[in-house]
Amino acid sequence: KWNGRDAADCLLCLGCQPAGVKISAKHGEIPTIEIDWHVAHFIDVGSGGAPSIQAWPYPPPEKFLSAQLFRGPNMINPFRVASLEVDIRLDRKPIEDAQATSGIGGFYTVSRKPHVKFSVYRDPATHPVWFEAQTPYSYTFTWGSRAGRMVSICIPKGRIAEYPGWKDENGALASDITIDAQDYQGDTGTPADDSPINTDFRIALL
């Protein structure tokens, strides 16, 4: 349900499924998440808009500070991350249905190709070598000041997709590095029926 500024601005959207998810975070700024939606049918209700201001009973959001990157399972000194962009890269198509009100009976997923782009202080003796080797590694990004406000993103098996170009990051030389998630089959144990296993992209709120 979408409520606009005026009382007549109210849309009821049905059969909604996310069609795209992006996370953007820059040093010193509050991270944002952007979600695109596929809608099978919507109704212009015509009333019920102009909602009252709602209270926010949760802690205020934190700025993206002291973000760290761990590459591989044995890294002791993590890299400092200046910026981070995550794109789940969902490809979803509509299921045509002549019986449905707007002709769409639902959506099916064609592919998911998680993609991460981040910026770290440039190491010209290391970053280009990573790209040339094309060796898959785990990449784990973590930020937040304390438990309850921490976020961690993990790609268990990622490859550098583009040559790490250089950029200016507040007067310092940095590398832009792009990671594509690869198929991962390294989890062990016997999970519960409703537990994900061998996923190629993971996010945790800590």
Side-chain angles (χ1 to χ4, degrees):
K1 190 174 181 181
W2 180 86
N3 292 322
R5 180 178 179 180
D6 297 325
D9 289 335
C10 183
L11 296 178
L12 179 62
C13 301
L14 305 173
C16 303
Q17 291 192 24
V21 179
K22 295 181 180 180
I23 300 173
S24 299
K26 294 183 179 180
H27 180 78
E29 299 181 10
I30 295 175
T32 60
I33 181 168
E34 177 183 340
I35 303 176
D36 294 328
W37 294 90
H38 279 326
V39 178
H41 180 64
F42 73 91
I43 301 170
D44 187 349
V45 179
S47 62
S52 59
I53 298 176
Q54 302 294 310
W56 179 260
Y58 311 103
E62 288 191 341
K63 295 180 179 179
F64 187 72
L65 300 170
S66 302
Q68 298 180 328
L69 161 65
F70 293 86
R71 182 177 186 262
N74 302 314
M75 191 172 190
I76 298 175
N77 297 315
F79 294 95
R80 292 282 184 170
V81 179
S83 63
L84 177 69
E85 297 177 8
V86 178
D87 189 349
I88 304 301
R89 294 198 297 186
L90 277 171
D91 184 8
R92 279 189 168 151
K93 304 296 184 184
I95 300 172
E96 297 182 1
D97 184 354
Q99 301 296 323
T101 305
S102 293
I104 299 176
F107 303 91
Y108 66 95
T109 301
V110 178
S111 65
R112 301 179 186 88
K113 299 178 180 178
H115 171 94
V116 176
K117 183 176 182 180
F118 61 94
S119 176
V120 294
Y121 293 124
R122 186 168 182 81
D123 184 348
T126 301
H127 299 161
V129 175
W130 289 355
F131 171 73
E132 293 168 1
Q134 284 299 296
T135 304
Y137 276 88
S138 63
Y139 291 83
T140 304
F141 305 85
T142 302
W143 70 91
S145 63
R146 61 184 182 273
R149 294 191 174 189
M150 298 179 66
V151 180
S152 186
I153 291 175
C154 178
I155 294 181
K157 185 179 180 181
R159 293 183 189 270
I160 298 180
E162 302 173 3
Y163 182 83
W166 50 85
K167 62 180 290 188
D168 177 82
E169 193 70 59
N170 295 323
L173 188 61
S175 289
D176 264 343
I177 301 178
T178 301
I179 303 295
D180 281 345
Q182 308 291 297
D183 180 58
Y184 178 73
Q185 299 293 327
D187 288 342
T188 59
T190 303
D193 292 339
D194 59 350
S195 297
I197 187 172
N198 291 327
T199 52
D200 53 11
F201 178 86
R202 305 166 186 198
I203 182 168
L205 306 178
L206 308 172

